[in-house]
Every structure is written in structure tokens, then in C-alpha cells.
Amino acid sequence: MRQIGHQLLLAAGDDTSRVLPVQQVADNEFRISFESPFSFHPDTLIAIVSRNLATGGTLPAQYVVNVLACNNREVVYGFAKGVSNMPSPCSNRKQPADCYQIQILFSEPPARVQNKMLWGAGASLIALTGLGMWYKRRQKQPAHVADTPEAASTEAPVSIGAYAFYPEQQRLQYQQQEIPLTSKESKLLGIFARHLNQLISRDQLQKEGWEEEGVITGRSLDMYVSKLRKHLQQDIQVKLVNVHGRGYRLEVTAE
């Protein structure tokens, strides 16, 4: 993260100003702040961020980058990587020197991606060790004793068309398919599920979903809605509709 800041300052011709400590605002949100005002060209910003975040799978491949004005936290420029249904960034105008913060929102917490890699690296050893222990226990069991199934979850699902939504487990189920959700996706879908077929304003979604976690931009909300729309696309009776200029509505129609 700090390298992104240093390289932006160098691209602006500033090799003396400091990049301030990177802030982790939420599990999947980071902000880079600067000691002094600087200018930037969008093409340069995109290239620097893309190069530094292309880390061979240790970070989520989907993210949104916003440049925030320090005085009012308004988005002066932004772009998305790997997020469908997002507008293409305008990259031909240099932004004037000002006080900026760089906000980076990943589609899921980076630690979750790293944990997946660590699990994959050690999966063979764990599997072999576990298999040996299981075999020894089986040898000690009487032949007539059957395996005890794991306790089933008692959480009642929320029906969304043909989907079963389990908020506490952060997952969707469609027929035999399990669809894991991030905490943000689950929280947002919970809001929609409580207001099926009702228009929910963007302000309400941001207030209910992220007020306690700091600033969330319109682009960030759009990213999560886009991911939910993709998760729900298998049932044609379920549609997550964008009502231009007003908000979103999760429509579930009868067959």
C-alpha cells in the first residue's frame, strides 16, 4: 500500500514528501494519506495500483479504488478492477494538485484470501495426518458402531425465490449449490430480504449497511450490488433492479 503512495508522489515529481501510515478502516478497506498535496494522471494511478496489487493471488482480484478529497471525502476519481457492470474510467484528464486520500476497497478481506492460500499449501500434510488419526480411531471402534453425523445447523433460511439465504452462516443455497458470501454481501442481502419488492434508497442502504464502519462511496455500494446480482442470476424470478437516481429493489415474482 505504501509503495502505491510513494510511486504516485514520484510520478508527480515529488521525491521528498512523506506517505503517512496506511489506515485500515474496515476488514476490506484501506486508505493511503499524504503529507503534502500532489497532482496525478488517472492513467498513471491505474497503472501503479494494478502493478502493486498484482501479487499472485495473495490479495483479492476484485477491488475498487477511489481518490477522495481530504476536505469533504468526496470522490474525485475512481475505477474498479475485476468488477462487472461498472462504468469504464475516464482517464484522459490530469487532476490538479490538492490534498487527496487513496481509498482501496477489496471484494473480501485480504486475510481471507491469504488464509485460503495457507490452507491450500498445507492441505496435503493436514489430510494425511488426519487420515492416519481417523484410521486409528476406526480400528478401535466396534464393527457395529456407525459414524455420528455432524450436528445440522438450526438456522432457519430466508426464502428469496428459489434461493435459501442463511444470514448467520453467510451463504446462499440454490438447489444443491452452495454460494458463500462475504460479510458485506450477507449484510446487504439481509437488508434487501427484509424489504422484498420494495424500493430502498442508496442512502438507506449505506446507512443501514456501513454507517458504523466509516465512509462508503457510491461506487463501493455498486460493486456489492453487482456481486449480489451475479449470485442471484440463476433464478429468473429474482431480479435486483437499479431504479435510476433513487436506489435498488430486490424483485421476487411468482411463477
Side-chain angles (χ1 to χ4, degrees):
M1 297 291 175
R2 289 181 65 87
Q3 279 300 313
I4 291 174
H6 287 305
Q7 292 174 23
L8 279 174
L9 291 179
L10 289 175
D14 185 347
D15 58 359
T16 57
S17 297
R18 293 188 304 117
V19 178
L20 301 181
V22 176
Q23 296 176 290
Q24 183 172 0
V25 180
D27 287 346
N28 66 327
E29 179 182 353
F30 298 82
R31 290 190 196 165
I32 308 169
S33 301
F34 302 85
E35 179 184 40
S36 305
F38 66 98
S39 62
F40 69 93
H41 196 288
D43 281 338
T44 303
L45 171 67
I46 294 172
I48 290 174
V49 172
S50 300
R51 181 171 61 248
N52 281 276
L53 296 188
T55 54
T58 59
L59 292 173
Q62 296 178 315
Y63 54 83
V64 172
V65 177
N66 291 316
V67 181
L68 309 177
C70 295
N71 58 344
N72 55 15
R73 300 293 172 83
E74 288 188 357
V75 178
V76 299
Y77 179 77
F79 71 94
K81 177 74 171 180
V83 182
S84 59
N85 300 323
M86 292 288 286
S88 300
C90 175
S91 59
N92 59 358
R93 187 179 66 177
K94 184 177 181 180
Q95 297 295 322
D98 205 341
C99 178
Y100 298 118
Q101 285 185 326
I102 308 299
Q103 178 194 49
I104 301 177
L105 296 120
F106 293 102
S107 58
E108 61 179 318
R112 183 173 298 175
V113 177
Q114 293 168 2
N115 288 339
K116 290 177 183 177
M117 294 190 66
L118 289 173
W119 183 91
S124 298
L125 178 60
I126 293 171
L128 289 171
T129 304
L131 182 60
M133 295 177 64
W134 174 85
Y135 180 75
K136 289 180 180 179
R137 287 198 300 268
R138 288 288 291 181
Q139 290 295 93
K140 296 178 181 179
Q141 285 184 349
H144 65 275
V145 176
D147 292 330
T148 303
E150 295 182 359
S153 172
T154 59
E155 181 185 7
V158 178
S159 295
I160 304 176
Y163 289 91
F165 172 42
Y166 296 85
E168 294 179 9
Q169 301 175 43
Q170 297 181 14
R171 68 181 178 92
L172 274 172
Q173 183 170 336
Y174 179 77
Q175 298 178 356
Q176 301 302 315
Q177 180 184 2
E178 298 283 340
I179 305 171
L181 303 172
T182 66
S183 60
K184 295 288 194 302
E185 291 169 350
S186 184
K187 193 169 188 179
L188 186 60
L189 184 57
I191 299 171
F192 282 118
R194 293 194 298 271
H195 302 86
L196 288 180
N197 298 310
Q198 299 178 31
L199 176 65
I200 309 178
S201 70
R202 297 174 66 88
D203 288 343
Q204 181 180 348
L205 288 170
Q206 290 178 244
K207 181 177 179 62
E208 291 190 27
W210 289 274
E211 183 178 45
E212 74 280 7
E213 298 178 18
V215 175
I216 179 172
T217 69
R219 282 179 174 269
S220 305
L221 176 60
D222 292 339
M223 179 186 75
Y224 289 111
V225 169
S226 175
K227 290 176 69 66
L228 286 179
R229 185 179 289 121
K230 184 176 181 180
H231 292 323
L232 297 167
Q233 66 184 359
Q234 298 182 79
D235 184 357
I236 61 174
Q237 307 298 328
V238 178
K239 294 182 180 179
L240 189 47
V241 179
N242 177 19
V243 181
H244 184 68
R246 300 181 63 189
Y248 293 95
R249 180 170 54 241
L250 181 57
E251 298 180 351
V252 179
T253 56
E255 295 185 1

